[in-house]
Amino acid sequence: MEAAVGYVSGDADSLLMATELRLGLPGTDDQKPKTTFSPPATPRGKKRTADAFEDSAAAEAHKADDDVEAAPPVAKAQVVGWPPVRSYRKSCFQAAASKSKAHKKAEDASSNSNAPSAAATAAPASTNGGSFVKVSMDGAPYLRKIDMRMYKGYRELREALEAMFVCFSGADTAASNPCEYAITYEDKDGDLMLVGDVPFDMFSGTCKKLRIIKRSEATGLGSK
Amino acid sequence: MSTTAPTPHPCPIPQPLPPPPIPSHSSSSSSPASGMSEAAEEPDSPPTHMSEDSSSSGDRWTPDLRGGNGGGPRSAPPDQVLENVLESVLEFLTAARDRNAASLVCRSWYRAEAQTRRELFIGNCYAVSPGRAVERFGGVRSVVLKGKPRFADFSLVPEGWGAYVQPWVAAMGRAYPRLERICLKRMTVTDDDLALVAQSFPLFKELSLVCCDGFSTLGLAIIAERCRHLKVLELIENSVEDEEDALVDWISKFPVSNTSMESLMFDCVGVPFNFEALEALVARSPSLRRLRVNHHVSLEQLRRLMARAPQLTHLGTGSFRSDAPEGGGMSVSELVPSFAASRSIVCLSGFREVNPEYLPAIYPVCGNLTSLNFSFASLNADDLIPVIRQCHKLQTFWVLDTVGDEGLRAVAETCSDLRELRVFPLDATEDSDGSVSDVGLQAISEGCRKLEYILYFCQRMTNTAVIAMSKNCPDLVVFRLCIMGRRRPDRITGEPMDEGFGSIVMNCKKLTRLSVSGLLTDKAFTYIGKYGKLIKTLSLAFSGDSDLSLQYLFEGCTRLQKLEVRDSPFSDKGLLSGLDSFYNMRFLWMNSCSLTTRGCREVAQRMPNLVVEVIREQDEMETENVDKVYLYRSLAGARSDKPKFVKVL
């Protein structure tokens, strides 16, 4: 994680605004629609060791309270622990839903239902209990987390990430210029890969961590 | 649902009184020593006679009544006789509330009560030290301990926060050799702790773990093997940590002779287990009445179990799916006899991977069911309604919102005796479609007039429906409405939900627990403060406009014990308006409001018997803003086991 020191060069005001806690009814707070993030004390939810009953939906999303009004209407970021359903219950549905999907597919197939493949085509999140990945951005003082299952494709993902990190672009890029940054990810083997090469499903299954880096540092990673 | 037993009041002490007893200090009269009986939080949570003890009764009064004979020189025998008489009388008091009151009368009563209290209820394991608790109460046979704040269930409390049972087991192991029962909720229980339990309590009979974590099948094996008198092993919604390749065959470890098992519930132990061993165990447990298995049990296996235990009253059915490949499994009619033979079943649950085709098999028992839990079964209204229509005697119903408004209408038409309804969301996200709405709520209110407990997740709600429920169901004790979209207004009028919740507190005079949601202004809290005089537990999320809300609450809700707040626009000012209430409360939790370290510190400084914990995330930078604060009264002071991310002010 980047040290806060490197961030000082950014615009002081937008920094301050970025860290200001703003709470209130929707629509009442609209001065700086972009700076709608809670202070660094962002609830991150707990991180438990990988466990069949763990995480799923509630666990690791972050809070973006004013997402409703401010951000582009992309997949709305989830809030930790809301709605208040116990993680135990949520995780039971992950397991049950994928298993019953597998069974359904098996039953629907006329004969020789191939259960393993049916299970594989069911929600990929079932195999891996957690679908939340950390997203870091060079220059940002804190990380975020997103739920990979919220996105059906690369475009949606990119848009969501842009919305999330827009406040960290700093003043030197007037409006946040998405082309400035490349999105990379760390896969199962720990290698840093450029996002976009493989089919989205495959990507979301193997992605462990996302990193948004300045394009200038992305040389050698891709042809874009 | 008060659990105060109708006991005769102890007769006043007869005439030959020794010198007047030392009166207790009046400061404790308004303290939580008037610990209220608390209804069990879930029907599945075991001890139905779990009553609340506030062992942290003396906020300012530190009794120095250990040992000693109180008062001046007196001959021992009359005093001793008195105490013996008193003890025999106090044995009849079971409710903690009565016992707490009795203990405050005088030293003599304090001692007698302390020796005769059989069940110890500690609502917050950090409110008192284990040593102090065992020192006061010498003859305890049953202990109920609660640990983490409830919001830990929703991942708001980081891993490693605390609530370790170890020091309690250690202290009790030394002090209570005759201990028979332990119930823990939201505590961390390791396999070593379970081993210590098995080792320390030769007469141990009942273990109940709810929402705990830290143990595995190894710990269960130890309990099964060494607790020879075990009657009850109830594991409910725990996070059982097992590596798939390091499983222990714990079911095989029960005694090989007939066991005294009455209740075995392990649906949350999600790993496979030795089914043959379970079948054999059931066969040699003649007293078994409650059995809840995990989802690794197929219908074929369930049938075998039911054959072995036709006397069951509570059955958790496992997956409720055939394990045979398509077309090969048994038919519904083959399953029906099993249920027809089980004449005693009154409570059904499980259905974890239910195949709806098999549902009709349960029809034979539906007419007797008082409790039905479909909340892990993804069934739609078409599957559910035929079942519901058979359950005339249903009192408790847990279901997913896939039941729809239509299904709820069927419930309303059939289950006139319903006391408790919980509707959970299949898709617990804010933007999900949500199949139940104000329509369903209204229907329920019209058909189920005896309703006492409702938990309802929905996406759309109206004030009208909530008001209707407040008028139709005056017996409501618990009203938890979760409109999943944050700050969502009345779907028809667009107005805040103030009036709806207002009418609930106004009309439901027995209400002790309330959870609010939807768009709420300060007005809602004026109502709650004005009318919610019996409210003990209150949960707020994304509600209110200003600190006035908190002020109204603290001023008005005189019986408030537990307050949980998240994501609401309350600042230090609101927090400080509660200073006069905090000693009367078990705890206050606030996260993602506008609190600062300065405000929290001020609370800590002005309230010496309050522990104020500021909780930060692992990689969070320390700033003046406080995201999570958990404060609670305590006789034990700042705890010694706090992790790095907790700061006690």
Side-chain angles (χ1 to χ4, degrees), chain A residues 21 23 25 39 41 45-46 48 51 53 59 63 65 76 79-84 86-89 92-93 99 107, chain B residues 42 153-155 157-159 237 239 268 352 375 400 428 457 484 486-487 519 541 566-567 592-593 617 620 627:
Chain A
L21 174 65
L23 288 164
L25 295 177
K46 67 177 160 175
R48 277 205 238 175
D51 171 31
F53 291 104
K63 182 167 75 112
D65 221 10
K76 187 169 173 182
V79 174
V80 182
W82 186 263
R86 282 192 189 147
S87 355
Y88 169 78
R89 182 171 283 281
C92 284
F93 281 114
K99 223 176 164 185
E107 281 157 17
Chain B
E42 285 102 27
D153 293 347
F154 317 127
S155 310
V157 176
E159 176 91 349
E237 298 200 18
S239 175
C268 66
R352 299 275 171 146
S375 67
L400 287 178
F457 283 84
M484 292 196 275
R486 288 171 268 165
R487 301 195 195 89
L519 181 63
R566 65 167 295 172
D567 292 279
S592 312
C593 302
E617 296 294 327
E620 207 175 293
D627 183 54

Short mmCIF file of all heavy atoms in Angstrom, two decimals, chain A residues 21 23 25 39 41 45-46 48 51 53 59 63 65 76 79-84 86-89 92-93 99 107, chain B residues 42 153-155 157-159 237 239 268 352 375 400 428 457 484 486-487 519 541 566-567 592-593 617 620 627:
data_model
loop_
_atom_site.label_atom_id
_atom_site.label_comp_id
_atom_site.label_asym_id
_atom_site.label_seq_id
_atom_site.Cartn_x
_atom_site.Cartn_y
_atom_site.Cartn_z
N LEU A 21 -16.28 12.83 6.26
CA LEU A 21 -17.43 11.95 6.41
C LEU A 21 -18.68 12.72 6.09
O LEU A 21 -18.94 13.75 6.67
CB LEU A 21 -17.48 11.43 7.84
CG LEU A 21 -18.73 10.61 8.18
CD1 LEU A 21 -18.75 9.32 7.37
CD2 LEU A 21 -18.74 10.27 9.65
N LEU A 23 -22.67 12.36 5.79
CA LEU A 23 -23.84 11.50 5.95
C LEU A 23 -25.07 12.37 5.94
O LEU A 23 -25.07 13.46 6.46
CB LEU A 23 -23.78 10.74 7.29
CG LEU A 23 -22.73 9.65 7.34
CD1 LEU A 23 -22.49 9.24 8.76
CD2 LEU A 23 -23.19 8.45 6.53
N LEU A 25 -29.39 12.66 4.33
CA LEU A 25 -30.40 12.11 3.43
C LEU A 25 -29.94 12.30 2.00
O LEU A 25 -29.25 13.25 1.68
CB LEU A 25 -31.73 12.82 3.64
CG LEU A 25 -32.34 12.59 5.01
CD1 LEU A 25 -33.61 13.37 5.16
CD2 LEU A 25 -32.59 11.11 5.24
N PRO A 39 -14.26 8.69 5.49
CA PRO A 39 -12.86 8.88 5.88
C PRO A 39 -12.09 7.58 5.83
O PRO A 39 -12.68 6.53 5.68
CB PRO A 39 -12.95 9.39 7.32
CG PRO A 39 -14.29 8.97 7.76
CD PRO A 39 -15.17 9.00 6.57
N ALA A 41 -11.22 5.81 7.81
CA ALA A 41 -11.74 4.79 8.71
C ALA A 41 -12.89 4.06 8.05
O ALA A 41 -13.98 4.00 8.55
CB ALA A 41 -12.20 5.44 10.00
N GLY A 45 -14.98 -4.47 7.00
CA GLY A 45 -15.47 -5.80 7.28
C GLY A 45 -14.34 -6.66 7.76
O GLY A 45 -13.18 -6.31 7.56
N LYS A 46 -14.66 -7.74 8.36
CA LYS A 46 -13.53 -8.51 8.86
C LYS A 46 -13.06 -9.48 7.81
O LYS A 46 -13.77 -9.87 6.92
CB LYS A 46 -13.93 -9.23 10.14
CG LYS A 46 -14.95 -10.30 9.92
CD LYS A 46 -15.21 -10.99 11.24
CE LYS A 46 -16.53 -11.69 11.18
NZ LYS A 46 -16.80 -12.47 12.34
N ARG A 48 -11.79 -13.04 7.60
CA ARG A 48 -11.54 -14.27 8.33
C ARG A 48 -10.72 -15.19 7.45
O ARG A 48 -10.64 -15.01 6.25
CB ARG A 48 -12.85 -14.96 8.66
CG ARG A 48 -13.48 -14.38 9.90
CD ARG A 48 -14.37 -15.40 10.52
NE ARG A 48 -15.73 -14.91 10.63
CZ ARG A 48 -16.74 -15.63 11.06
NH1 ARG A 48 -16.57 -16.86 11.39
NH2 ARG A 48 -17.93 -15.12 11.13
N ASP A 51 -12.96 -20.04 4.87
CA ASP A 51 -13.77 -20.95 5.67
C ASP A 51 -15.07 -21.13 4.92
O ASP A 51 -15.61 -20.20 4.37
CB ASP A 51 -13.98 -20.32 7.05
CG ASP A 51 -14.97 -21.08 7.87
OD1 ASP A 51 -15.05 -22.30 7.69
OD2 ASP A 51 -15.66 -20.46 8.67
N PHE A 53 -17.98 -21.32 5.80
CA PHE A 53 -19.10 -20.52 6.24
C PHE A 53 -18.84 -19.04 6.11
O PHE A 53 -19.65 -18.24 6.47
CB PHE A 53 -19.41 -20.82 7.72
CG PHE A 53 -19.96 -22.19 7.89
CD1 PHE A 53 -19.17 -23.20 8.39
CD2 PHE A 53 -21.26 -22.46 7.53
CE1 PHE A 53 -19.67 -24.47 8.55
CE2 PHE A 53 -21.76 -23.73 7.69
CZ PHE A 53 -20.98 -24.74 8.20
N ALA A 59 -19.49 -9.93 3.73
CA ALA A 59 -18.20 -9.79 4.41
C ALA A 59 -17.37 -8.59 4.01
O ALA A 59 -17.07 -7.75 4.82
CB ALA A 59 -17.40 -11.05 4.26
N LYS A 63 -17.99 0.60 2.04
CA LYS A 63 -19.13 1.49 2.11
C LYS A 63 -18.96 2.61 1.12
O LYS A 63 -17.94 3.25 1.05
CB LYS A 63 -19.21 2.05 3.52
CG LYS A 63 -20.39 2.96 3.74
CD LYS A 63 -20.53 3.18 5.20
CE LYS A 63 -19.47 4.11 5.70
NZ LYS A 63 -20.02 5.37 6.13
N ASP A 65 -21.55 5.33 0.71
CA ASP A 65 -22.90 5.69 1.14
C ASP A 65 -23.67 6.49 0.12
O ASP A 65 -24.85 6.33 -0.07
CB ASP A 65 -22.77 6.49 2.43
CG ASP A 65 -23.84 6.09 3.40
OD1 ASP A 65 -24.53 5.09 3.14
OD2 ASP A 65 -23.99 6.77 4.40
N LYS A 76 -24.35 -1.05 -8.00
CA LYS A 76 -24.25 -0.30 -6.75
C LYS A 76 -23.36 -1.05 -5.77
O LYS A 76 -23.56 -2.23 -5.53
CB LYS A 76 -25.65 -0.15 -6.19
CG LYS A 76 -25.75 0.75 -4.99
CD LYS A 76 -27.21 1.02 -4.71
CE LYS A 76 -27.38 1.79 -3.42
NZ LYS A 76 -28.79 1.99 -3.14
N VAL A 79 -22.66 -2.53 0.86
CA VAL A 79 -22.23 -2.00 2.14
C VAL A 79 -21.97 -3.18 3.05
O VAL A 79 -22.70 -4.16 3.02
CB VAL A 79 -23.34 -1.10 2.72
CG1 VAL A 79 -22.99 -0.67 4.11
CG2 VAL A 79 -23.60 0.07 1.82
N VAL A 80 -20.94 -3.06 3.87
CA VAL A 80 -20.64 -4.15 4.77
C VAL A 80 -21.83 -4.43 5.68
O VAL A 80 -22.38 -3.53 6.28
CB VAL A 80 -19.42 -3.82 5.66
CG1 VAL A 80 -19.10 -5.00 6.55
CG2 VAL A 80 -18.22 -3.50 4.78
N GLY A 81 -22.20 -5.68 5.76
CA GLY A 81 -23.20 -6.08 6.73
C GLY A 81 -24.58 -5.53 6.49
O GLY A 81 -25.39 -5.47 7.40
N TRP A 82 -24.87 -5.14 5.27
CA TRP A 82 -26.22 -4.67 4.99
C TRP A 82 -26.71 -5.29 3.69
O TRP A 82 -25.99 -5.27 2.71
CB TRP A 82 -26.25 -3.14 4.87
CG TRP A 82 -27.66 -2.65 4.73
CD1 TRP A 82 -28.30 -2.33 3.56
CD2 TRP A 82 -28.62 -2.48 5.77
NE1 TRP A 82 -29.61 -1.98 3.82
CE2 TRP A 82 -29.83 -2.06 5.17
CE3 TRP A 82 -28.59 -2.66 7.15
CZ2 TRP A 82 -30.99 -1.81 5.91
CZ3 TRP A 82 -29.73 -2.40 7.88
CH2 TRP A 82 -30.91 -1.97 7.26
N PRO A 83 -27.90 -5.81 3.61
CA PRO A 83 -28.86 -5.98 4.70
C PRO A 83 -28.33 -6.94 5.78
O PRO A 83 -27.51 -7.79 5.48
CB PRO A 83 -30.07 -6.61 3.99
CG PRO A 83 -29.88 -6.38 2.54
CD PRO A 83 -28.42 -6.29 2.32
N PRO A 84 -28.83 -6.79 6.95
CA PRO A 84 -28.29 -7.55 8.09
C PRO A 84 -28.74 -9.00 8.10
O PRO A 84 -29.65 -9.39 8.82
CB PRO A 84 -28.84 -6.79 9.31
CG PRO A 84 -30.11 -6.18 8.83
CD PRO A 84 -29.91 -5.87 7.38
N ARG A 86 -27.12 -12.83 8.58
CA ARG A 86 -25.91 -13.46 9.10
C ARG A 86 -25.09 -14.13 8.01
O ARG A 86 -25.64 -14.77 7.11
CB ARG A 86 -26.30 -14.53 10.13
CG ARG A 86 -26.67 -13.95 11.45
CD ARG A 86 -26.74 -15.02 12.50
NE ARG A 86 -27.30 -14.48 13.72
CZ ARG A 86 -28.05 -15.17 14.55
NH1 ARG A 86 -28.35 -16.42 14.30
NH2 ARG A 86 -28.51 -14.59 15.64
N SER A 87 -23.79 -14.03 8.15
CA SER A 87 -22.90 -14.63 7.15
C SER A 87 -23.17 -16.12 7.04
O SER A 87 -23.07 -16.70 5.96
CB SER A 87 -21.44 -14.41 7.49
OG SER A 87 -21.30 -13.61 8.61
N TYR A 88 -23.52 -16.75 8.15
CA TYR A 88 -23.81 -18.19 8.12
C TYR A 88 -24.93 -18.46 7.12
O TYR A 88 -24.84 -19.33 6.27
CB TYR A 88 -24.24 -18.66 9.51
CG TYR A 88 -24.80 -20.05 9.51
CD1 TYR A 88 -23.95 -21.15 9.44
CD2 TYR A 88 -26.17 -20.27 9.53
CE1 TYR A 88 -24.47 -22.43 9.42
CE2 TYR A 88 -26.68 -21.55 9.51
CZ TYR A 88 -25.83 -22.63 9.45
OH TYR A 88 -26.35 -23.89 9.42
N ARG A 89 -25.97 -17.67 7.20
CA ARG A 89 -27.13 -17.89 6.34
C ARG A 89 -26.76 -17.62 4.89
O ARG A 89 -27.12 -18.37 3.99
CB ARG A 89 -28.26 -16.95 6.80
CG ARG A 89 -29.53 -17.06 6.05
CD ARG A 89 -30.61 -16.26 6.75
NE ARG A 89 -31.11 -16.95 7.92
CZ ARG A 89 -31.98 -17.95 7.88
NH1 ARG A 89 -32.46 -18.34 6.73
NH2 ARG A 89 -32.37 -18.52 8.99
N CYS A 92 -24.75 -20.41 3.41
CA CYS A 92 -25.54 -21.60 3.13
C CYS A 92 -26.17 -21.49 1.77
O CYS A 92 -26.30 -22.49 1.06
CB CYS A 92 -26.64 -21.78 4.17
SG CYS A 92 -26.02 -22.38 5.72
N PHE A 93 -26.55 -20.29 1.38
CA PHE A 93 -27.19 -20.16 0.09
C PHE A 93 -26.21 -20.25 -1.05
O PHE A 93 -26.55 -20.74 -2.11
CB PHE A 93 -27.99 -18.87 0.01
CG PHE A 93 -29.27 -19.04 0.72
CD1 PHE A 93 -29.55 -18.33 1.85
CD2 PHE A 93 -30.17 -20.00 0.29
CE1 PHE A 93 -30.71 -18.55 2.54
CE2 PHE A 93 -31.33 -20.23 0.97
CZ PHE A 93 -31.61 -19.50 2.09
N LYS A 99 -25.30 -25.88 -5.65
CA LYS A 99 -25.53 -27.33 -5.71
C LYS A 99 -26.86 -27.62 -6.38
O LYS A 99 -26.97 -28.54 -7.17
CB LYS A 99 -25.53 -27.91 -4.29
CG LYS A 99 -24.78 -29.20 -4.18
CD LYS A 99 -24.71 -29.69 -2.74
CE LYS A 99 -24.31 -31.16 -2.71
NZ LYS A 99 -24.33 -31.74 -1.39
N GLU A 107 -30.76 -32.70 -13.83
CA GLU A 107 -32.09 -33.25 -14.07
C GLU A 107 -32.63 -32.83 -15.41
O GLU A 107 -33.38 -33.54 -16.06
CB GLU A 107 -33.04 -32.81 -12.96
CG GLU A 107 -32.86 -33.62 -11.69
CD GLU A 107 -33.35 -32.87 -10.47
OE1 GLU A 107 -34.10 -31.89 -10.63
OE2 GLU A 107 -32.98 -33.29 -9.36
N GLU B 42 -34.04 -16.50 19.70
CA GLU B 42 -34.60 -17.28 18.60
C GLU B 42 -35.32 -18.47 19.18
O GLU B 42 -34.93 -18.94 20.22
CB GLU B 42 -33.50 -17.83 17.70
CG GLU B 42 -32.86 -16.83 16.78
CD GLU B 42 -31.52 -16.39 17.32
OE1 GLU B 42 -30.89 -17.15 18.04
OE2 GLU B 42 -31.16 -15.26 17.04
N ASP B 153 -22.24 -10.53 13.73
CA ASP B 153 -22.87 -11.45 12.78
C ASP B 153 -22.82 -10.91 11.36
O ASP B 153 -22.96 -11.67 10.40
CB ASP B 153 -24.34 -11.69 13.12
CG ASP B 153 -24.53 -12.43 14.42
OD1 ASP B 153 -23.55 -12.99 14.94
OD2 ASP B 153 -25.67 -12.46 14.91
N PHE B 154 -22.71 -9.60 11.24
CA PHE B 154 -22.74 -8.98 9.92
C PHE B 154 -21.37 -8.48 9.51
O PHE B 154 -21.24 -7.50 8.77
CB PHE B 154 -23.77 -7.84 9.91
CG PHE B 154 -25.05 -8.20 10.60
CD1 PHE B 154 -25.57 -7.40 11.60
CD2 PHE B 154 -25.74 -9.36 10.26
CE1 PHE B 154 -26.75 -7.74 12.25
CE2 PHE B 154 -26.93 -9.71 10.91
CZ PHE B 154 -27.42 -8.90 11.91
N SER B 155 -20.36 -9.13 10.03
CA SER B 155 -18.98 -8.83 9.66
C SER B 155 -18.54 -7.43 10.03
O SER B 155 -17.65 -6.88 9.40
CB SER B 155 -18.78 -9.01 8.14
OG SER B 155 -19.28 -10.24 7.72
N VAL B 157 -17.44 -6.66 13.12
CA VAL B 157 -16.43 -6.76 14.17
C VAL B 157 -15.27 -7.57 13.62
O VAL B 157 -15.46 -8.71 13.21
CB VAL B 157 -17.02 -7.43 15.43
CG1 VAL B 157 -15.95 -7.61 16.48
CG2 VAL B 157 -18.17 -6.61 15.97
N PRO B 158 -14.09 -7.01 13.61
CA PRO B 158 -12.97 -7.73 12.99
C PRO B 158 -12.63 -9.02 13.72
O PRO B 158 -12.90 -9.18 14.91
CB PRO B 158 -11.80 -6.73 13.10
CG PRO B 158 -12.41 -5.42 13.38
CD PRO B 158 -13.70 -5.67 14.07
N GLU B 159 -12.01 -9.89 12.99
CA GLU B 159 -11.55 -11.16 13.53
C GLU B 159 -10.59 -10.94 14.69
O GLU B 159 -9.73 -10.08 14.65
CB GLU B 159 -10.83 -11.89 12.40
CG GLU B 159 -10.18 -13.18 12.78
CD GLU B 159 -11.12 -14.34 12.57
OE1 GLU B 159 -12.32 -14.09 12.33
OE2 GLU B 159 -10.66 -15.48 12.65
N GLU B 237 -25.87 -22.50 14.15
CA GLU B 237 -25.28 -21.42 13.35
C GLU B 237 -23.88 -21.04 13.80
O GLU B 237 -23.51 -19.86 13.81
CB GLU B 237 -26.19 -20.19 13.36
CG GLU B 237 -27.55 -20.51 12.73
CD GLU B 237 -28.32 -19.28 12.27
OE1 GLU B 237 -27.71 -18.21 12.09
OE2 GLU B 237 -29.53 -19.41 12.06
N SER B 239 -19.67 -21.30 13.36
CA SER B 239 -18.72 -21.36 12.28
C SER B 239 -17.71 -22.43 12.65
O SER B 239 -16.75 -22.16 13.37
CB SER B 239 -18.07 -20.00 12.13
OG SER B 239 -17.07 -20.06 11.16
N CYS B 268 -25.14 -27.07 11.56
CA CYS B 268 -24.14 -26.10 11.12
C CYS B 268 -22.75 -26.71 10.95
O CYS B 268 -21.82 -26.05 10.49
CB CYS B 268 -24.05 -24.96 12.12
SG CYS B 268 -23.41 -25.47 13.71
N ARG B 352 -32.40 -28.32 3.33
CA ARG B 352 -31.30 -27.47 2.88
C ARG B 352 -31.13 -27.48 1.38
O ARG B 352 -30.60 -26.53 0.80
CB ARG B 352 -30.01 -27.90 3.54
CG ARG B 352 -30.04 -27.77 5.04
CD ARG B 352 -29.68 -26.40 5.46
NE ARG B 352 -29.89 -26.15 6.86
CZ ARG B 352 -29.12 -25.36 7.58
NH1 ARG B 352 -28.10 -24.77 7.04
NH2 ARG B 352 -29.39 -25.15 8.85
N SER B 375 -36.48 -21.68 6.13
CA SER B 375 -35.70 -20.51 5.77
C SER B 375 -34.39 -20.84 5.06
O SER B 375 -33.66 -19.95 4.66
CB SER B 375 -35.41 -19.66 7.00
OG SER B 375 -34.56 -20.35 7.88
N LEU B 400 -38.26 -18.17 3.49
CA LEU B 400 -37.60 -17.20 2.62
C LEU B 400 -38.63 -16.33 1.92
O LEU B 400 -39.79 -16.73 1.78
CB LEU B 400 -36.78 -17.93 1.56
CG LEU B 400 -35.49 -18.59 2.04
CD1 LEU B 400 -34.82 -19.31 0.89
CD2 LEU B 400 -34.54 -17.56 2.63
N ALA B 428 -29.88 -11.37 -0.53
CA ALA B 428 -29.73 -10.30 0.46
C ALA B 428 -28.91 -9.15 -0.06
O ALA B 428 -27.86 -8.80 0.46
CB ALA B 428 -29.10 -10.86 1.74
N PHE B 457 -37.93 -9.08 6.03
CA PHE B 457 -37.06 -8.44 5.07
C PHE B 457 -37.86 -8.19 3.80
O PHE B 457 -38.50 -9.11 3.28
CB PHE B 457 -35.87 -9.34 4.71
CG PHE B 457 -34.80 -9.38 5.75
CD1 PHE B 457 -34.90 -10.25 6.84
CD2 PHE B 457 -33.67 -8.58 5.65
CE1 PHE B 457 -33.89 -10.29 7.80
CE2 PHE B 457 -32.66 -8.62 6.60
CZ PHE B 457 -32.78 -9.48 7.68
N MET B 484 -34.82 -3.34 2.72
CA MET B 484 -33.41 -3.54 2.38
C MET B 484 -32.76 -2.36 1.67
O MET B 484 -31.57 -2.13 1.83
CB MET B 484 -33.27 -4.82 1.56
CG MET B 484 -33.57 -6.05 2.40
SD MET B 484 -33.02 -7.57 1.68
CE MET B 484 -34.38 -7.96 0.62
N ARG B 486 -31.56 1.15 1.40
CA ARG B 486 -31.29 2.13 2.46
C ARG B 486 -32.16 3.36 2.32
O ARG B 486 -32.30 3.92 1.24
CB ARG B 486 -29.82 2.54 2.40
CG ARG B 486 -28.87 1.47 2.87
CD ARG B 486 -27.44 1.84 2.57
NE ARG B 486 -27.00 1.34 1.30
CZ ARG B 486 -25.91 1.74 0.65
NH1 ARG B 486 -25.16 2.69 1.17
NH2 ARG B 486 -25.56 1.21 -0.49
N ARG B 487 -32.74 3.77 3.42
CA ARG B 487 -33.52 5.01 3.49
C ARG B 487 -34.67 5.06 2.49
O ARG B 487 -35.01 6.11 1.95
CB ARG B 487 -32.62 6.24 3.27
CG ARG B 487 -31.50 6.34 4.26
CD ARG B 487 -30.86 7.71 4.26
NE ARG B 487 -29.59 7.68 4.95
CZ ARG B 487 -28.43 7.42 4.36
NH1 ARG B 487 -28.37 7.17 3.07
NH2 ARG B 487 -27.33 7.39 5.07
N LEU B 519 -36.72 5.13 5.25
CA LEU B 519 -36.42 6.53 5.46
C LEU B 519 -37.07 7.00 6.77
O LEU B 519 -38.27 6.92 6.94
CB LEU B 519 -36.99 7.34 4.28
CG LEU B 519 -36.74 8.85 4.33
CD1 LEU B 519 -35.25 9.12 4.29
CD2 LEU B 519 -37.43 9.54 3.16
N ALA B 541 -30.43 1.75 11.61
CA ALA B 541 -29.47 1.76 10.51
C ALA B 541 -29.91 2.81 9.51
O ALA B 541 -31.07 2.82 9.11
CB ALA B 541 -29.42 0.39 9.86
N ARG B 566 -26.01 2.12 13.23
CA ARG B 566 -25.00 2.17 12.18
C ARG B 566 -25.38 3.20 11.15
O ARG B 566 -26.58 3.42 10.88
CB ARG B 566 -24.83 0.80 11.52
CG ARG B 566 -26.03 0.29 10.78
CD ARG B 566 -25.66 -0.91 9.92
NE ARG B 566 -24.74 -0.51 8.86
CZ ARG B 566 -24.13 -1.36 8.05
NH1 ARG B 566 -24.32 -2.66 8.20
NH2 ARG B 566 -23.33 -0.93 7.10
N ASP B 567 -24.37 3.83 10.57
CA ASP B 567 -24.57 4.71 9.42
C ASP B 567 -25.69 5.72 9.63
O ASP B 567 -26.58 5.86 8.78
CB ASP B 567 -24.89 3.85 8.19
CG ASP B 567 -23.68 3.05 7.77
OD1 ASP B 567 -22.82 3.63 7.10
OD2 ASP B 567 -23.59 1.86 8.16
N SER B 592 -19.92 3.84 11.88
CA SER B 592 -20.11 4.68 10.71
C SER B 592 -21.05 5.84 10.97
O SER B 592 -21.87 6.20 10.12
CB SER B 592 -20.63 3.84 9.53
OG SER B 592 -19.85 2.68 9.40
N CYS B 593 -20.96 6.40 12.15
CA CYS B 593 -21.65 7.66 12.43
C CYS B 593 -20.58 8.75 12.45
O CYS B 593 -19.51 8.56 11.90
CB CYS B 593 -22.41 7.55 13.75
SG CYS B 593 -23.61 6.21 13.75
N GLU B 617 -10.13 -0.97 11.84
CA GLU B 617 -9.78 -2.07 10.95
C GLU B 617 -8.28 -2.26 10.93
O GLU B 617 -7.53 -1.41 11.35
CB GLU B 617 -10.27 -1.78 9.53
CG GLU B 617 -11.77 -1.70 9.44
CD GLU B 617 -12.42 -3.03 9.73
OE1 GLU B 617 -11.83 -4.07 9.41
OE2 GLU B 617 -13.53 -3.03 10.30
N GLU B 620 -6.22 0.35 8.99
CA GLU B 620 -6.80 1.68 9.06
C GLU B 620 -5.85 2.63 9.73
O GLU B 620 -5.23 2.31 10.73
CB GLU B 620 -8.09 1.58 9.88
CG GLU B 620 -9.12 2.61 9.58
CD GLU B 620 -10.37 2.30 10.39
OE1 GLU B 620 -10.99 1.27 10.12
OE2 GLU B 620 -10.67 3.08 11.30
N ASP B 627 -14.79 5.24 13.76
CA ASP B 627 -15.77 4.55 12.94
C ASP B 627 -16.61 3.58 13.75
O ASP B 627 -17.80 3.46 13.55
CB ASP B 627 -15.07 3.79 11.81
CG ASP B 627 -16.05 3.11 10.91
OD1 ASP B 627 -16.96 3.81 10.41
OD2 ASP B 627 -15.97 1.89 10.72
#
